[in-house]
Amino acid sequence: MTLALDAAAQDLLFREAQTANTFTDEPVTDEQVQAIYDLVKYAPTAFNQSPLRITLVRSEEARKRLVTHAMGANGPKTLAAPLTLVLSVDLDFHEHLPRLFPAMPGVKDAFFSEAAAREAAGTQNATLQAGYLIVGIRAAGLAAGPMTGFDFTGVDKEFFGDGKQKSFLVVNVGKPGPDAFYPRSPRLAFDEAAATV
């Protein structure tokens, strides 16, 4: 079967794209980040809840604060990247639902009145949005270096002291630098990953 996406786009977004570990010093502009967001904001989320929040870490001072919570090599990689994004869940995403999901006016209170329900749904859907964001970064001709090796409780205290956001991923963004990519690891075959019932 032929995919609707041409082979060059398939390579750009998937087959040749890899996690970058080094970057050039070429800046990533606010305009680039906004163009990426304006593309990926159409990704599906339950009830269109759109709970992902993106913090652009640009200043040297903010970057130093962030890397105090990094594990191992994630600190130096983050200090050297032209842009770092902290991805978090807006734990009050339900406040936007009357506008974002007008087809069901009572959804905010019917499903998300409890904080635990908001955190569970928000985390699941923000994680889905993060996957689309990485593909969007690739679509912009940039590389992403997503990392979970951070003390996210510390990151939250550092950047979101009010407790309204909960971070879950840090993504370095830019043009790949020298030796940016490790050799590609194997992937599961279709019949290992999928089953028909």
Side-chain angles (χ1 to χ4, degrees), residues 2-193:
T2 302
L3 298 175
L5 206 59
D6 69 38
Q10 293 171 39
D11 288 344
L12 176 70
L13 300 179
F14 299 104
R15 285 193 290 256
E16 293 181 5
Q18 291 183 252
T19 295
N21 293 287
T22 69
F23 298 89
T24 69
D25 58 4
E26 183 178 329
V28 177
T29 67
D30 287 344
E31 292 77 17
Q32 286 174 297
V33 177
Q34 184 168 348
I36 292 165
Y37 178 78
D38 286 342
L39 178 65
V40 303
K41 69 184 178 184
Y42 297 106
T45 55
F47 301 109
N48 197 33
Q49 61 189 243
S50 307
L52 179 69
R53 299 297 175 263
I54 305 164
T55 302
L56 283 67
V57 181
R58 288 199 181 277
S59 74
E60 184 178 341
E61 180 269 334
R63 196 176 297 270
K64 286 179 179 175
R65 287 169 45 214
L66 177 60
V67 300
T68 63
H69 307 288
M71 298 175 189
N74 291 341
K77 285 193 288 192
T78 299
L79 286 173
L83 175 65
T84 300
L85 309 176
V86 175
L87 305 189
S88 59
V89 180
D90 178 356
L91 298 175
D92 285 338
F93 70 84
H94 66 307
E95 297 294 345
H96 301 281
L97 287 176
R99 179 170 55 93
L100 294 178
F101 201 67
M104 192 174 172
V107 69
K108 172 187 166 193
D109 298 318
F111 293 99
F112 302 113
S113 60
E114 300 294 324
R118 289 196 302 275
E119 183 171 345
T123 299
Q124 182 180 49
N125 285 277
T127 303
L128 177 64
Q129 287 183 281
Y132 278 93
L133 180 66
I134 291 167
V135 174
I137 290 167
R138 294 171 173 181
L142 300 170
M147 301 170 288
T148 56
F150 278 75
D151 169 12
F152 286 108
T153 300
V155 172
D156 292 345
K157 288 178 184 173
E158 193 76 49
F159 291 92
F160 313 121
D162 62 3
K164 305 263 183 186
Q165 293 185 52
K166 188 171 183 180
S167 60
F168 65 94
L169 192 65
V170 173
V171 184
N172 289 327
V173 181
K175 292 284 188 180
D179 302 315
F181 307 115
Y182 299 140
R184 187 181 287 285
S185 297
R187 299 298 196 268
L188 294 176
F190 177 77
D191 61 355
E192 296 175 286

